[in-house]
Amino acid sequence: MKNLKTGSFSIQRFLVFVALAALSVTVIGCTRKTSKAEYPTKPITLMVGFSAGGSTDMYARAFSSFAHEQLGMPVTVVNKTGASGMIAAKAVYDAPPDGYTLLLASGGGFFIKAASDGDKAAVVPMRDLKVLGSVGQAITALVVPIDSPFKTAKELVDYAKAHPEKKMRWSNPGRSSTKGLIGRVFLEKNGIVAQDVPFKGGSKARNAVAAKQVDFSFIGVQLMAGFETKLRALGVMSDERDLIFNDIPTLKEQGLPTLGISNPMIIWGHKNLPEDVVAKLKETIKNVSSSDAYKKMTKTMRINGFYSSPEDAIAKIDIMKKLMTPFIPKK
């Protein structure tokens, strides 16, 4: 009997061991199935709605040059042009919300296009996409021909008020462009009237004032580069001076109504991105655009590269919405 008991006891221990081993294998198998690799595990596409070489494209390429160091995966810039950037925005909205398709677009240009399209808008910025961070900003400058009698923005405003019969003319990159709308806000805030002359693009608007076809223009301040002997900038529309062209005063410094308009260059993701992906992307955007290497590269490119939080970027958009919405033509 003793041997039988001993044998029975050994069999029981063996059966318990087998059961525990089977359970361990099951648990390990389930863990492997439910766990997922940390984002990202493949290259990321950064959509740009405008052609290569423009300011939006330059921000995207500067960012992508350093983002791979943070993410461990390449970030590829894809230019998907058309519909004032809306085709690229729609491509991001239609893509799976997994963080592998992102958008770089200015806050101003994006909301203006959506507001102009109204109910027909393919994508509405704050409704359909998420602000992940800003990697810089575009600033608008009031410029005149180099031999213009106006040395400051206040001199131009004072003259326009005193001589409404002169019918001054001003150029812009398009009536529905950010710069075109900023120009209209400037005129309204200062109580002056002038004839706008719209062009397709900032370069053409700049060339018109350089050729003295118009009295003044509202263009991106970066377009001053290479035209310093033909143009004079009288003021910037932001509350702070431009980082590159920092000799141009703000309107507030000249005693004029401040507009406080600066256009953030934002990286957007799908509204339904997982929280861990959002956290990773926000961290990456902050680290890259705060780095000395990124700032140095963007300075060389003559653009304003620096970090702004999603909250700061949204606040800048809200300012533009408040000032520009009354002037946005509806389709």
Side-chain angles (χ1 to χ4, degrees), residues 196-324:
D196 76 312
V197 182
F199 289 86
K200 290 185 178 181
S203 296
K204 293 181 179 178
R206 174 195 61 193
N207 295 343
V209 70
K212 304 177 187 178
Q213 296 172 350
V214 295
D215 299 292
F216 59 96
S217 182
F218 288 91
I219 59 174
V221 69
Q222 76 278 0
L223 292 178
M224 285 289 296
F227 280 74
E228 291 87 352
T229 61
K230 296 183 179 181
L231 299 175
R232 179 190 304 126
L234 303 184
V236 291
M237 305 300 109
S238 55
D239 278 341
E240 66 284 336
R241 292 195 179 198
D242 185 79
L243 294 177
I244 308 299
F245 299 90
N246 54 20
D247 59 331
I248 306 172
T250 65
L251 299 180
K252 185 177 181 180
E253 291 178 77
Q254 303 178 58
L256 293 176
T258 180
L259 302 188
I261 297 176
S262 56
N263 193 6
M265 306 303 294
I266 295 172
I267 295 181
W268 309 74
H270 196 284
K271 66 175 181 179
N272 294 328
L273 287 179
E275 291 185 6
D276 61 321
V277 173
V278 170
K280 182 69 174 181
L281 288 170
K282 284 183 175 180
E283 179 186 28
T284 297
I285 293 167
K286 181 177 182 179
N287 289 343
V288 169
S289 55
S290 299
S291 69
D292 291 338
Y294 175 80
K295 292 176 182 179
K296 182 178 180 180
M297 175 180 281
T298 52
K299 185 175 182 180
T300 301
M301 300 166 82
R302 309 290 274 180
I303 56 177
N304 287 284
F306 62 95
Y307 172 72
S308 289
S309 69
E311 294 75 19
D312 288 342
I314 292 170
K316 290 177 181 179
I317 294 176
D318 288 341
I319 291 172
M320 288 188 286
K321 280 184 177 180
K322 181 179 179 181
L323 293 173
M324 295 181 186

Side-chain angles (χ1 to χ4, degrees), residues 38-116:
E38 185 178 352
Y39 168 88
T41 60
K42 61 182 181 179
I44 296 166
T45 296
L46 182 58
M47 292 284 189
V48 174
F50 301 93
S51 301
S55 59
T56 306
D57 178 75
M58 286 192 284
Y59 279 108
R61 295 187 186 279
F63 175 78
S64 65
S65 296
F66 301 102
H68 69 91
E69 299 174 2
Q70 298 286 322
L71 295 168
M73 284 288 168
V75 176
T76 304
V77 177
V78 174
N79 299 91
K80 201 172 185 68
T81 62
S84 299
M86 194 58 79
I87 292 178
K90 187 65 163 56
V92 175
Y93 179 65
D94 289 342
D98 53 14
Y100 291 101
T101 308
L102 306 174
L103 173 73
L104 197 152
S106 71
F110 197 175
F111 102 78
I112 289 170
K113 174 59 178 172
S116 177

